[in-house]
């Protein structure tokens, strides 16, 4: 995410947030049309329903077309079959007619009689499956009737079986098939239909059909086929007239008609309907079987209904076969033309399906499935869209929450910043008052308390800053500063923070810094302090007895030489002594066992010894030091506390983790300290580790890399946080009486920082004897000025008090003033105190933990008021001192503000300085053109055009150019042995740290706060006016 | 000598009241201490410088704030800063306090607040000027009467 909100203000955050939202709300298509989604879905469903209906319809239509085709093909097939069978029958009847004409007319006498005909027709009946029977009628004109009747022996009868009335001509049946033998002797002309038929057949010479009609005595339909037989042979293409002539020509003799009776039931072969009867008379025929046979031959006969119509009269269709009104599918029918060879008659076959078209399940299923699938697809898409919308909504919501959380985070940081800023203001008041208090005449204890309060106050301010840093660390935005600082004084400060607590617990708190560690290092004092504070704080929290020991030495230290142990202990045999004491005494600071043996005396003494050696060759070492740019320090914090349980050891550095839940209950704390410490250590280029044994203690060690401080730069710019240790103790001799070598080394370390020469003694007796000896022989040379006695050593030796007195007495015997006796104690009861006073420690008791400044304060008190007023400390007569410092100096004051300028000038003049003023940076630059005669310059920072920083930078540039030139050329021209470097002091109203850093960065030497205060001014001025001669010399 | 004594007491009371009412603070005392035989008129000199400076700055600010729109707050701020520096140098506490408030309004670019502060500053300034002039008159009277100016602790 491109949110960069860290430290910006809240309103700007919200603005950014809004912008963010603006750009982020690039909705997707789906999101933009969310309201339309259900409608889309509905539309989809509707479209799909429509589509599936269409599919169904199309498939159904296909089905219908196919059905129609099937129907038409079936219908045509039936019509063709019927027609074929019909024409076969007609052909046969034709053949029969030729047979009759051949054997009846052309033979004389006739070769055929009724019997022959009957038999012949019966035997050839299979040839005429459609005909139920055939008969032959002869043409008889009225004039020949009698002759005919006589010849045959019967009279011509009408259809009604009555003797025929007189007519022009008759057509009595003479031969008949057996099946229709009952029509013999009937006059075919007597029936209207038949007569018409016969006449038409005679005229056309073709087979002719009657209308279908109901036969007498039955309701069956029938058709009569009439075929003419001519007596004479016809010309190849006879006209109609010729035909009539031919028949007429033979009319009198042979008036013969061939009467063919069509059994319509044979049509019914195609159907299952009841059979019609014969032409003139109904009769029982064996048609059933015939029908069955043909049914078997045709497939699909079950499915369709067949009707046959005579459509000669187009307005009135006569049904020949089938029922007029039937169920069945009336919607679909097929008509097929039938041609029975009679041009006069027209026939038609109409087929229908027996049942209505069945519902097309395939189409229905296909359409339905299609619909269902589409519905599902639609639903899936709809669901996906809904889901996308929901996810996007959630995403936006989350984003908003995230932005809000980040804003809250910023607000929190801001709150912290504000609050800590607010706390800082009153804290400044407290610190100021403490500073004032410290300037009053205080007893050493009061001074210590006040100093402690002041230091604690300072630490509190630092801690407040650290609260901010904690947030910074969490955000990974921590930047380390690189400023010179005094490691030792920081350690002292930290220790003093915890001194009260440790004293109450009876825990000994000590710090030791190897001599090889440079006095000033470049690094981040605040972070270093934070690390130490965290570690020591932890240790103090978890330690109830024993000691807490902070040790700093060079990590790049090659293993201490195992050469001669140049110990200056008065008693070198401390090892044996510890063993002699018998009890399980460990050679650690307090005698308790520590987790890490490295800090016990065995290894520690090598370190110390090493230092002793190197101390002599310090010049050489320092030269070597200058060579390398950085110095790696190894810091270890050892305690004899409860230790860390083994199972918890691997999560010690995880945030908010304590050894177990009971820990926070018993000891409080959040457990974030160590994780921050780890971060800081890693930021400083080191790493942290620890060794811990439950119920024995823990030792945290870490390495850290600091830059080496250029000697030249820090002699001029003594940092304010490097507290000035009084130098009045330089060269004093002290004897430390302590049975525990580590502790003795610590004490010596502090005394050495004050410039004192320190010796060890294992017990008071030894001191006494040594003093006695030396005192008499060598005099003051080895005479200790101060004897510091550890409380344990004093109490353990019963003879302590005695020997002290002896010591006193011996001293009194001499001219030399007696050494001051000082008791060192971690905690001391009143009774013990009394006893101590009685025993001769009248001078003072120094409470541990030792700090150089505190020791110095105590020593000042002990060694008399004369030294109490250290030049660095005593401010009360500051004016005169200031006067002496500034008298005759030429000082330039640069300030754009006239009033300020005047006031500053006035103040400086008061102290005897010659003051010149400049009202801008440019003017100052002009005045400071080299060579000039100014001794110092006070520079306002905030000035128009060119501010103090810029002006200083330019001045420094000028100077460095001049210096280069000077170094290149001869040195005689310059009055000063040193280089051009005018002390420039910033004058500023705000004295926050950042400004100070800025001052240093651009080459200033210090600052004084506006408005001038004497003390302030003195401190600033004294630094360079005093140090100058020192560094020059 | 009675007159001198009376004048001296009056002077002490007056400067004490000035301190009490917060017109002046220790810085002014410091200034007074700076005044010695070498520079007998130091305080007066500085004070008149201050008055000049003040009048100039107040005029500047008033001009800058007259604009209905587009007030150059930077310029106003610079002036206030100057004024604050001057006033703290001379120990004019009340003026300084108003300046602090003034600056915060400047930072917030609040014209209304600035105008209000300007008014206050002008008011405080004229008050202070009157008071100081009275004080200096007293001083002169003491000197004229042949007394020395008492040091107010």
């Amino acid at each position: 995410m491109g949110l960069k909100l860290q430290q910006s203000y809240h309103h700007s955050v919200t603005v950014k947030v809004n912008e963010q939202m603006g750009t982020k709300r690039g909705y997707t298509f789906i999101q933009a049309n969310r309201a339309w989604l259900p409608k889309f879905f509905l539309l989809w469903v509707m479209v799909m329903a429509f589509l599936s209906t269409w599919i169904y319809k199309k498939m159904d239509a296909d089905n219908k077309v196919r059905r129609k085709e099937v129907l038409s093909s079936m219908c045509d097939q039936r019509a063709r079959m019927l027609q074929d069978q019909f024409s076969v029958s007609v052909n046969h009847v034709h053949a029969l007619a030729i047979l009759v004409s051949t054997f009846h007319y052309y033979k004389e006498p006739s070769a055929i009689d009724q019997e022959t005909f009957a038999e012949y027709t019966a035997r050839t009946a299979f040839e005429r499956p459609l005909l139920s029977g055939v008969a032959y009628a002869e043409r008889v004109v009225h004039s020949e009737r009698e002759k005919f009747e006589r010849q045959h022996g019967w009279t011509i009868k009408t259809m009604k079986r009555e003797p025929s009335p007189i007519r022009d001509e008759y057509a009595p049946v003479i031969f008949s098939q057996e099946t229709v033998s009952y029509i013999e002797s009937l006059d075919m002309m007597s029936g209207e239909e038949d007569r018409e038929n016969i006449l038409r057949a005679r005229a056309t010479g073709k087979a002719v059909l009657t209308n279908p009609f109901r036969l007498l005595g039955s309701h069956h339909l029938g058709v009569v086929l009439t075929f003419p037989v001519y007596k004479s042979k016809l010309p190849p293409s006879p006209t109609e007239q010729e035909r009539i002539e031919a028949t007429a020509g033979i009319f009198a003799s042979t008036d013969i008609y061939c009467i063919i009776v069509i059994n319509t039931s044979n049509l019914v072969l195609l159907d299952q309907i009841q059979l019609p009867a014969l032409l003139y008379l109904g009769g029982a025929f064996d048609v059933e079987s015939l029908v069955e046979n043909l049914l078997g031959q045709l497939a699909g006969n079950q499915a369709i209904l067949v009707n046959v119509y005579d459509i000669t009269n187009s307005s009135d269709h006569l049904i020949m076969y089938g029922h007029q009104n039937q169920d069945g599918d009336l919607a679909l029918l097929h008509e097929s033309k039938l041609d029975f060879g009679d041009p006069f008659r027209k026939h038609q076959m109409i087929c229908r399906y027996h049942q209505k078209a069945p519902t097309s399940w395939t189409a229905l299923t296909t359409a339905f499935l299609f619909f269902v699938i589409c519905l599902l697809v639609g639903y899936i898409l709809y669901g996906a869209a809904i889901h996308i919308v929901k996810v996007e909504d959630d995403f936006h919501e989350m984003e908003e929450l995230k932005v809000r959380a980040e804003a809250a985070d910023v607000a929190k940081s801001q709150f912290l910043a504000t609050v800590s800023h607010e706390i800082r203001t009153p804290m400044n008041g407290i610190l100021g008052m403490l500073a004032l208090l410290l300037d009053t005449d205080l007893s050493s204890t009061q001074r210590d308390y006040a100093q402690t309060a002041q230091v604690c106050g300072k630490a509190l301010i630092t801690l407040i800053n650290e609260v901010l840093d904690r947030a910074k660390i969490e955000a990974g935005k921590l930047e380390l500063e690189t400023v010179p600082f005094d490691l030792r004084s920081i350690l002292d400060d930290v220790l003093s923070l915890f001194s009260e607590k440790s004293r109450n617990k009876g825990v000994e708190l000590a710090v030791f810094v190897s001599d090889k560690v440079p006095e000033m290092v470049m690094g981040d004092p605040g972070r270093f302090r934070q690390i130490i504070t965290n570690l020591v704080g932890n240790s103090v929290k978890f330690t109830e007895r024993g000691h807490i020991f902070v040790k700093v030495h060079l990590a790049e230290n090659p293993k201490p030489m195992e050469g001669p142990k140049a110990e200056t202990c008065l008693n070198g045999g401390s090892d044996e002594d510890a063993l002699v004491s018998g009890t399980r005494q460990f050679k650690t600071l307090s005698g308790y066992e520590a987790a890490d043996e490295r800090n016990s005396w065995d290894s520690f003494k090598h370190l110390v010894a090493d230092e002793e050696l190197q101390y002599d060759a310090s010049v050489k070492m320092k030269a070597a030091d200058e060579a390398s740019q950085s110095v790696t320090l190894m810091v270890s914090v050892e305690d004899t506390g409860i230790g860390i349980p083994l199972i918890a050891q691997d999560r010690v550095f995880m945030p908010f983790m304590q050894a177990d839940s009971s820990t926070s209950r018993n000891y409080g704390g959040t457990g974030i300290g160590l994780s921050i410490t780890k971060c800081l250590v890693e930021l400083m280029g080191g790493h942290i580790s620890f060794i811990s044994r439950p119920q024995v203690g823990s030792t945290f060690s870490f390495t850290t890399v600091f830059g080496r401080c250029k000697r030249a730069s820090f002699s001029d710019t003594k940092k304010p946080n490097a507290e000035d240790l009084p130098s009045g103790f330089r060269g004093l001799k002290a004897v430390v009486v302590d049975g525990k070598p580590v502790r003795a080394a610590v004490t010596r370390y502090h005394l050495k920082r004050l410039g004192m020469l320190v010796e060890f003694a294992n017990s008071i007796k030894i001191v006494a004897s040594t003093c006695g000896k030396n005192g008499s022989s060598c005099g003051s040379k080895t005479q200790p000025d101060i004897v510091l006695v550890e409380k344990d050593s004093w109490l353990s030796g019963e003879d302590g008090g005695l020997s002290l007195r002896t010591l006193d007495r011996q001293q009194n015997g001499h001219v030399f003033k007696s050494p001051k006796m000082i008791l060192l104690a971690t905690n001391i009861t009143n009774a013990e105190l009394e006893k101590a006073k009685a025993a001769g420690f009248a001078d003072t008791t120094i409470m541990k933990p030792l700090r150089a400044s505190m020791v110095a304060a105590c020593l000042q008190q002990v060694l008399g008021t004369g030294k109490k007023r250290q030049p660095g400390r005593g401010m009360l007569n500051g004016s005169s001192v200031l006067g002496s410092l500034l008298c005759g100096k030429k000082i330039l004051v640069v300030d754009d503000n006239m009033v300020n300028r005047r006031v500053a000038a006035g103040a400086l003049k008061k102290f005897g300085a010659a003051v010149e003023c400049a009202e801008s940076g440019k003017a100052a630059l002009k005045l400071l053109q080299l060579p000039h005669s100014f001794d110092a310059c006070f520079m306002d920072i905030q000035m128009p055009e060119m501010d103090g920083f810029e002006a200083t930078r330019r001045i420094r540039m000028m100077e460095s150019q001049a210096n280069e030139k000077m170094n290149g050329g001869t040195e005689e021209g310059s009055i000063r042995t040193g280089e051009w470097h005018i002390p420039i002091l910033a004058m500023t109203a705000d004295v926050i740290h950042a400004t100070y850093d800025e001052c240093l960065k651009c080459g200033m030497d210090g600052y004084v706060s506006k408005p001038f205060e004497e003390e302030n001014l003195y401190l600033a001025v004294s630094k360079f006016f005093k140090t100058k001669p020192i560094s020059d010399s | 000598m009675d007159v001198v004594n009376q004048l001296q007491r009056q002077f002490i009371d007056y400067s004490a009241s000035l301190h009490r009412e917060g017109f002046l603070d220790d810085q002014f005392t410091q200034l007074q201490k700076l005044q010695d035989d070498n520079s007998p008129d130091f305080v007066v000199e500085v004070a008149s410088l201050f008055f000049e400076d003040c009048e100039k700055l107040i005029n500047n600010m008033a001009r800058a704030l007259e604009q209905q729109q587009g007030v150059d707050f930077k310029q106003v701020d610079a002036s206030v800063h100057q004024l604050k520096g001057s006033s703290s140098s001379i120990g004019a506490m009340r003026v300084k306090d108003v300046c602090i408030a003034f600056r915060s309004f400047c930072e917030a670019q609040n014209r209304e607040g600035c105008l209000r502060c300007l008014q206050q500053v002008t008011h405080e300034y004229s008050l202070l000027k009157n008071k100081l002039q009275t004080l200096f008159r007293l001083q002169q009277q003491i000197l004229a009467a042949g007394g020395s100016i008492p040091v107010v602790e």
Side-chain angles (χ1 to χ4, degrees), chain A residues 622-689:
Chain A
K622 266 172 192 155
D625 279 356
E626 301 295 324
S628 66
Q629 284 295 309
S630 64
V631 52
T632 308
L633 298 183
M634 176 79 173
V635 184
S636 61
V637 178
E638 173 191 277
D639 69 57
T640 56
I642 59 167
I644 302 164
L646 291 173
I647 46 159
Q649 286 195 359
D650 49 350
R651 52 189 163 101
V652 158
F653 292 117
M654 278 161 71
F656 304 108
M657 282 287 182
Q658 284 186 331
D660 61 67
S661 54
S662 68
T663 313
S664 62
R665 204 162 50 242
N666 295 339
Y667 300 98
T670 58
I672 199 173
L674 279 176
S675 75
I676 288 180
T677 306
K678 187 170 194 276
C679 288
L680 289 175
V681 166
E682 278 161 7
L683 273 173
M684 286 182 170
H687 51 86
I688 187 164
S689 63

Side-chain angles (χ1 to χ4, degrees), chain A residues 324-345:
Chain A
Q324 193 68 36
N325 292 316
Q326 287 188 69
D327 313 331
D329 192 359
L330 296 173
L332 188 66
L333 48 84
H334 185 80
E335 298 176 356
S336 299
K337 294 275 177 217
L338 285 174
D339 181 13
F340 290 140
D342 180 356
F344 183 70
R345 299 259 164 218

